[in-house]
Amino acid sequence: MTAHSRMRSPEIEAMDRGDLDALSEERIRYTVQYAEEHSTFYRHWFASHGIRAADIKTHEDLLELPILSGRTIRAHQPPESREFGFLSAPLEEVFTIHETSGTTGVPKAFFLTWEDWARYAEKYARAFASQGLGHGDRLVVCTSYGMNVGGNTMTVAARRLRMTIIPTGKCTFPLRVITSYRPTAIVGSVFKLLRLADRLEVEGIDPRKSGLERLIVGGESFAEEAREHLAERYGCPVYNTYGSTEGTMCGECQVQDGLHVPEDLVHLDLYDPGLQEFVPDGKTGRIVLSHLLPVGERSGMVLLNYDSEDTSAIVSRTRCACGRTHLRIRPPGRESDTVQIGQASLDRIEIERGVFQPDNLVELNGEYEAFLYSEGDRGAVLRIGVECRNSPACDREGISERILHTLLSKNRALAAVHAGGEFRVVFSFTQPGGLELHAIKGRPKRLVDRR
Ligand SMILES: [Zn+2]
């Protein structure tokens, strides 16, 4: 089977760049117009900024529109406002209502019509197909089926590919799900899939012989080293996806050289940290996204110039080896995963890379958490906690050395503050389950600034 035959809609996914850009601009014009006509928020917003929807014609024109954030959505929904300002279809046309699990404040409400669902599902179906999934596959969905769209969208997407779904909604399912139903793929987060591998091995089941042919990971960014480790444990490829209730569903194809953005359905710009200008291709920027509605289609909630608070960089806008032309981005990271130490910045992923050095994983189970404390005039101390499979009998010195070396050898600014005595790193070792993060419900924050 050629890579081409796996495309859901080759006429769209392999469209020439010029045609794709033209299609995207046609949809930008229609979507902006639709938003103005159907949502009270956009009507007032355009008017108060002196913007005429008819003047927004191209991707560059989006620079004229202010950027929206989660805060903007919350400010235009109850309890802060009487109505849902972003709602852009009559309520009786809305098929589902969602909430995003906001880390602070009231969750943001999202309204989806069935047409929104069809577009969301199409995006996931394309990503799954590009990863080699299709008819005959049995997919365990560890992603939750709660108020976010995740699990449900994947389920609707699976219908399009005629796959079988096993909707466990979490990765702590009984192991008979693996042994009885012989799934061929699992969707989950890196750490959930690592814990599952541990459970399988404890029960004497070799993950490499479990029948799984691929793993799809998403939910949060991860170090390449973590992916390699997971692929090694399961003996199968691990593909990255980036999805959210806001409607970004990007997936890595089998070439694994960036995540394809479904450019006909979502427009993605990368902005500088001040959110003023686009960054050049290849440079890291904030992901700002706009929905694209095909002319004539409707939506329950349109987002234009929405700041996702995630960061990424363009890998390429040229045709991928898989045949798709849709642009590819680096796996997105979280802006809030970065801390500043003097002149240096440190990202959670850099710590993860250190933990997942192959020699460390002989004794570590991969779990980690890091806290940054102030030492007054003496700068800052980073306390990294890891879990030893057979604590306390692990090579603490070797593990500490390897993590510190990974941190400092790739980050010159950090090495400088370390050499200057403004920054030091200490390590703590516990048994499996001993880290603080296990006591927290929901997705743990692994790098916490406690200064
Ligand atoms: Zn590709």
Side-chain angles (χ1 to χ4, degrees), residues 130 251-258 260 320-324 326 328:
S130 80
E252 198 176 44
C253 67
Q254 286 176 303
V255 178
Q256 295 189 314
D257 186 20
H260 284 285
C320 174
C322 74
R324 290 173 182 81
H326 289 208
R328 281 167 283 148

Side-chain angles (χ1 to χ4, degrees), residues 19-20 28 33 41 44 78 88 100 105 142 181-182 200 223 235 252 262 318 371 394:
D19 294 341
L20 189 55
I28 287 174
Q33 208 104 50
F41 168 77
H44 293 145
S88 59
T100 59
C142 285
Y181 311 130
R182 302 293 287 179
L200 285 164
E252 198 176 44
T318 59
F371 301 100
C394 69

